[in-house]
Amino acid sequence: MTQAFVALGSNLTSRNAAPPAILSTAVKLLNAKGVVPTSLSLLYKTPAYPAGSGPDFVNAVIAAEVGDLLPAEVLSRLHMVESALGRERSVRWGARTADLDLIAMGNAVLPEETTWRRWRDLSPARQRQEAPDTLVLPHPRLQDRAFVLVPMADVAGDWRHPVTRLSVAEMLESLPEAERWGVVPLAAPPEEWRL
């Protein structure tokens, strides 16, 4: 069985459901589609990224077993769940009901290391303008985002990046303290946020 890490986020309501409930529903839908959660992080309130792009997010990370699914198949299932939860892809990095990102899958480096490094090293200005036309794993911005690393540390703090060989805990420690402190656990997660 292959392990995948999926980042979940929401900063809009959908069908009168608030972001924590939307993420709980996302986990159930993923399970039904063969992306079987084995561990859930806490739910965290985080500032929208980039700053000023919308209301605060609720973010989490799950570890999931995906059997013999290929990375592209897992990504397709994530997109199906986003769509079922009302996600509309109109603005890059805009507000959204559900944002499910495949962060890593086992030790896969896709499409290959040279292309992965190109996307990782893309300047912030070009990140706003360009998006890969193929799946890039591990997520090329993983090491830059406290809103992914803080919850990922809950479920896989010792997971090591297959290219940089840094653990999640080490990547998190290298971020500015202000970014780490901006990721705050929800005081009262919904009761359904559990396996």
Side-chain angles (χ1 to χ4, degrees):
M1 297 287 275
T2 302
Q3 186 175 54
F5 298 105
V6 178
L8 301 91
S10 175
N11 71 338
L12 292 177
T13 59
S14 175
R15 299 179 191 102
N16 297 318
I22 290 169
L23 297 189
S24 295
T25 301
V27 169
K28 291 175 179 64
L29 293 173
L30 288 170
N31 188 44
K33 293 194 175 297
V35 179
V36 181
T38 57
S39 185
L40 305 174
S41 74
L42 297 176
L43 290 170
Y44 292 89
K45 181 180 176 185
T46 63
Y49 180 87
S53 63
D56 286 348
F57 268 83
V58 173
N59 287 103
V61 169
I62 65 168
E65 293 295 341
V66 295
D68 58 0
L69 292 174
L70 298 173
E73 294 171 315
V74 173
L75 183 63
S76 175
R77 292 168 192 219
L78 299 183
H79 288 170
M80 284 188 266
V81 169
E82 286 179 340
S83 180
L85 293 170
R87 168 83 186 259
E88 295 178 8
R89 294 178 179 274
S90 56
V91 178
R92 183 163 168 78
W93 292 342
R96 43 209 175 265
T97 55
D99 185 21
L100 308 179
D101 289 325
L102 182 56
I103 297 299
M105 198 161 148
N107 288 319
V109 178
L110 297 176
E112 36 64 36
E113 189 173 329
T114 300
T115 302
W116 178 85
R117 286 183 185 279
R118 180 173 100 57
W119 285 105
R120 181 204 54 190
D121 297 339
L122 208 61
S123 72
R126 289 189 54 203
Q127 290 174 36
R128 290 178 184 266
Q129 299 169 349
E130 297 180 36
D133 58 1
T134 187
L135 179 59
V136 178
L137 286 179
H139 192 290
R141 305 270 71 80
L142 167 64
Q143 66 283 341
D144 303 329
R145 295 186 173 161
F147 64 86
V148 173
L149 289 171
V150 170
M152 192 168 175
D154 290 348
V155 298
D158 58 353
W159 177 82
R160 290 200 173 270
H161 194 290
V163 177
T164 67
R165 302 307 305 155
L166 294 172
S167 70
V168 169
E170 290 167 337
M171 289 184 276
L172 182 56
E173 184 62 31
S174 73
L175 292 179
E177 188 174 291
E179 289 182 29
R180 295 189 313 249
W181 284 103
V183 181
V184 180
L186 286 187
E191 185 176 315
E192 66 268 17
W193 184 253
R194 56 184 160 71
L195 290 178

